[in-house]
Amino acid sequence: MTITAIVLSALLALAALGAGIPKIRLKGDIPRQLQEHMGASASLTRFIGLAEAAAAIGLAVGIFWHPLGIAAAAGLAVVFAGAIAYHRRAGDYANPKTRGPAMAPAVLGLVSVVTVATLSLTA
């Protein structure tokens, strides 16, 4: 179970860092889409990016100190739940063109919940 916790934490940390850095920098398609399509302000976009980057750090440290990893993964689950709500409000799940990219928060949210459970079992 420990190997599973490490792998899930590392993969989730990489995904969160990869998603967070462009939002912090306000560079790329995702930050632009958040601002133009979903109506998020630049400061909210940066805040989301900072939350994702902080969670990535928490997950990395959480490999060695599980309570921090559990908190980071749970925090990411909340961030991804918010992303799902934004996508739903924007109608992305009803539109075949935007449905695929809108599924990423749902998948990563599920991985976050599984990471919380796995880290909890190995703590």
Side-chain angles (χ1 to χ4, degrees):
M1 194 61 101
T2 302
I3 293 173
T4 304
I6 292 169
V7 170
L8 285 172
S9 294
L11 290 175
L12 192 57
L14 288 173
L17 194 61
I21 289 175
K23 291 174 191 150
I24 293 169
R25 297 179 62 220
L26 295 178
K27 303 278 185 197
D29 293 336
I30 300 299
R32 188 170 14 88
Q33 180 187 8
L34 275 170
Q35 293 175 33
E36 294 173 5
H37 177 64
M38 296 188 186
S41 66
S43 60
L44 177 60
T45 302
R46 275 201 170 111
F47 177 76
I48 294 167
L50 287 169
E52 290 171 337
I57 294 166
L59 283 162
V61 174
I63 291 172
F64 306 101
W65 189 49
H66 288 195
L68 183 59
I70 293 167
L76 268 180
V78 171
V79 169
F80 292 134
I84 291 167
Y86 260 81
H87 281 290
R88 187 170 181 262
R89 187 182 72 175
D92 290 340
Y93 295 114
N95 184 345
K97 289 184 178 180
T98 57
R99 186 178 303 134
M103 291 304 294
V107 171
L108 290 172
L110 180 61
V111 172
S112 297
V113 171
V114 171
T115 302
V116 168
T118 306
L119 286 170
S120 297
L121 291 172
T122 59

